Amino acid sequence: MTTANPFIDTYFKTGTLDFLPEGHFIDGAFQRPSHNRTMESLDPGRGEAFGTFTAGTADDAAAAVDSARSAFEKSWRDTAPVERARILQRASELLMAELERFAIVESLDSGKPLNEAMGDTKGAARAFSYYAGACDKLEGASFPLGPNYLGYSIHEPVGVAAQIIPWNFPLSTAARGIAPALAAGCAVVAKPAEQTPYTCLMLAELLSRAGLPNGVFNVVTGTGLEIGDPLTRSTGIDHITFTGSVQTGRKVMQAAAEDITRVVLELGGKSPVIVLEDCDRAAALDGVLGAIFENAGQICSAGSRLIIERGLHDSFLQDLVARTKALTLGHGLRDPNVGPVNSAEHLAKIDGFVSRAKERGASIVAGGNVTTDPETAAGWFFEPTIVDAVAADDELAQEEVFGPVLTVQVAEDAEHAAVLANDCQYGLVAGIYTSDFKTAHRLARTIDAGQIYINEYFAGGIEVPFGGNKKSGFGREKGIEGLKSYCKTKSIAAKIS
């Protein structure tokens, strides 16, 4: 394959890239690990390794925490907010200047189409720019205690924050936690997913070039057992931000409880998209399609349940199925509509959900099968899938598949749609398509979710707080709420008469 991009051409010719980082990033530089064990990073589009990275140990995690603690106490927490802002803004500018390089590695490591990886990289740059602007605006409050007293509050950085980053959005999820932590004056130790280590390591080196003092941001790579677990149990960690499964989130919370460490958990989702008869049909079709098939459905907030009003069901589904079957699959660097899923293990999990549905006699109206890259017959792919007439208590309506699988439920009216939307253990986001302003906002109040999208799925951006209710977790990222997650509020009251 020949493209206009030399990095992509090199990859397809050699099977690797020569600028992939090596080692952990600790105390401002790439460091040799405490041993020489490595792990392979796999290209989901080919199903084969394209690089190796360090498989760290608890000793490496401890060294990163010590570096972060020293940098926090000696310099970063007392660095003027305006100076922190300059560094974060410079990081944003560097990310935009190196957009293509980061996006190619992100696509290759995660499998997602290149255009999506470009959008994620731009979003990461926007996160650093947004929080750069917030550094010197983190203001406290004054309390009216009367003429003989002075009462006020200040926001102080919580300390050293651990970031445990998932594989589905490696760079953008890292940025939405790292940027506010640094803006608040915290130091950070990041553990990227073992499936997708590279862009977080690249980001660490970029932040150093942007002027971040040594030790303020550290990255250790390896497995959850050998790196993630020691970080969550470390007495040198003051805050943990974790994005991942409910099962692992529960373990993180239990480990954090041992030392009463603060946590923000963004866990799973089974998010509904309500489509009512009076909707803008074209916008709803676009929204439903993107909500489930972007990143091959591997999004915590994916719109994986279509709840559609009965009178619209047949014609809408006919169009949706036609558009689903027209989607192209392929290697992420060839920028198809839908890329591979991240691993062979995850592909088997998705296939298990759909195979069990078939055994129950489910009405699969599109897709439903494991497949490969049409160009190479390689990689880990699952056909974009739609399952119609799914009962509310069915596994496909209740459990997070985390793949390109859309379940369809029929509602009699808006009130019934709200009941179906809330009949789930998760409460991350929900989408609503209707032209009736009153109905939209009544549903938004009724649905138990952390964020509601009206007439555009994935609306908003870094400015809008994000997080879940119920088993989708707690705490908020993004927006000023996300900045406050990395602060502790101190109140001062003084008698001055």
Side-chain angles (χ1 to χ4, degrees):
M1 176 184 179
T2 301
T3 72
N5 188 291
F7 294 141
I8 296 176
D9 289 342
T10 296
Y11 174 71
F12 281 120
K13 289 175 182 176
T14 67
T16 190
L17 295 169
D18 61 8
F19 59 81
L20 298 174
E22 297 180 359
H24 305 302
F25 195 90
I26 300 174
D27 202 28
F30 287 107
Q31 305 280 359
R32 297 290 300 176
S34 59
H35 53 77
N36 291 317
R37 288 189 306 157
T38 60
M39 300 175 68
E40 290 184 326
S41 190
L42 304 176
D43 171 4
R46 286 182 162 184
E48 59 187 37
F50 72 95
T52 59
F53 63 96
T54 297
T57 67
D59 289 339
D60 298 319
V65 173
D66 289 344
S67 176
R69 174 62 58 188
S70 177
F72 171 72
E73 294 180 350
K74 292 180 180 179
S75 66
W76 189 243
R77 68 179 173 186
D78 296 321
T79 298
V82 67
E83 180 59 25
R84 296 201 295 265
R86 290 192 186 104
I87 293 169
L88 295 188
Q89 183 59 36
R90 178 60 178 152
S92 175
E93 293 164 358
L94 287 172
L95 259 178
M96 288 303 295
E98 301 176 28
L99 175 68
E100 197 171 68
R101 188 169 71 97
F102 271 82
I104 287 169
V105 176
E106 187 81 340
S107 173
L108 188 57
D109 221 4
S110 67
K112 67 180 57 184
L114 183 59
N115 188 57
E116 293 181 16
M118 294 281 278
D120 291 351
T121 307
K122 290 177 183 177
R126 170 64 183 136
F128 280 99
S129 178
Y130 175 83
Y131 286 109
C135 287
D136 56 1
K137 301 169 186 67
L138 190 59
E139 300 171 344
S142 63
F143 312 124
L145 302 179
N148 296 322
Y149 295 88
L150 176 64
Y152 62 97
S153 65
I154 56 176
H155 297 297
E156 298 179 335
V158 69
V160 177
Q163 299 281 333
I164 302 178
I165 301 162
W167 50 258
N168 59 329
F169 284 87
L171 182 59
S172 58
T173 305
R176 79 182 187 198
I178 293 163
L182 297 179
C186 295
V188 177
V189 178
K191 187 260 178 222
E194 54 262 40
Q195 297 90 343
T196 52
Y198 287 124
T199 48
C200 191
L201 289 165
M202 292 166 63
L203 178 62
E205 189 272 337
L206 181 145
L207 281 165
S208 182
R209 284 191 279 125
L212 192 69
N214 294 346
V216 175
F217 179 49
N218 307 272
V219 180
V220 282
T221 58
T223 66
L225 182 63
E226 295 196 90
I227 298 296
D229 187 63
L231 279 180
T232 61
R233 298 181 185 281
S234 171
T235 56
I237 294 294
D238 303 297
H239 171 99
I240 302 165
T241 292
F242 171 81
T243 303
S245 70
V246 173
Q247 293 80 5
T248 306
R250 185 177 290 114
K251 293 177 182 178
V252 168
M253 195 171 175
Q254 290 170 342
E258 294 180 10
D259 202 47
I260 320 298
T261 303
R262 298 160 44 134
V263 294
V264 169
L265 300 178
E266 197 264 277
L267 307 177
K270 192 70 183 177
S271 299
V273 186
I274 294 174
V275 177
L276 301 181
E277 291 182 28
D278 64 354
C279 71
D280 178 328
R281 185 189 179 97
L285 280 166
D286 287 343
V288 171
L289 201 73
I292 186 58
F293 297 131
E294 183 178 324
N295 199 29
Q298 299 167 120
I299 306 176
C300 298
S301 54
S304 54
R305 290 190 292 148
L306 169 60
I307 299 175
I308 187 163
E309 203 166 4
R310 185 175 297 279
L312 186 59
H313 171 273
D314 292 353
S315 61
F316 188 92
L317 193 62
Q318 182 179 5
D319 289 347
L320 185 64
V321 167
R323 292 181 62 168
T324 298
K325 290 180 176 179
L327 294 171
T328 60
L329 276 69
H331 193 283
L333 292 182
R334 295 190 178 97
D335 206 26
N337 297 134
V338 181
V341 300
N342 187 256
S343 67
E345 295 78 11
H346 191 56
L347 180 63
K349 176 186 174 184
I350 296 167
D351 187 44
F353 273 106
V354 177
S355 294
R356 290 190 297 273
K358 290 177 180 177
E359 292 170 1
R360 295 192 298 271
S363 175
I364 297 175
V365 294
N369 302 296
V370 171
T371 187
T372 56
D373 182 346
E375 187 167 333
T376 64
W380 303 311
F381 292 80
F382 200 86
E383 295 173 343
T385 298
I386 300 175
V387 187
D388 192 19
V390 177
D393 61 352
D394 190 272
E395 177 185 49
L396 283 184
Q398 292 294 326
E399 299 295 334
E400 185 177 42
V401 178
F402 215 63
V405 180
L406 177 67
T407 65
V408 181
Q409 298 172 269
V410 178
E412 301 303 330
D413 52 28
E415 288 70 25
H416 185 211
V419 171
L420 291 172
N422 284 331
D423 186 15
C424 183
Q425 63 183 321
Y426 297 106
L428 189 53
V429 308
I432 301 165
Y433 284 86
T434 177
S435 61
D436 187 301
F437 182 87
K438 290 187 295 183
T439 298
H441 288 275
R442 187 170 65 250
L443 285 170
R445 287 178 177 267
T446 303
I447 295 170
D448 188 1
Q451 186 170 353
I452 307 293
Y453 305 123
I454 297 175
N455 291 330
E456 181 185 315
Y457 208 83
F458 298 131
I462 191 64
E463 303 88 350
V464 181
F466 177 79
N469 302 337
K470 298 190 281 189
K471 287 189 178 178
S472 290
F474 56 84
R476 293 295 180 263
E477 298 185 81
K478 299 168 64 175
I480 298 301
E481 289 296 316
L483 181 62
K484 291 179 180 178
S485 294
Y486 297 96
C487 299
K488 50 189 179 183
T489 300
K490 178 179 287 183
S491 299
I492 297 107
K495 186 174 183 179
I496 59 175
S497 63

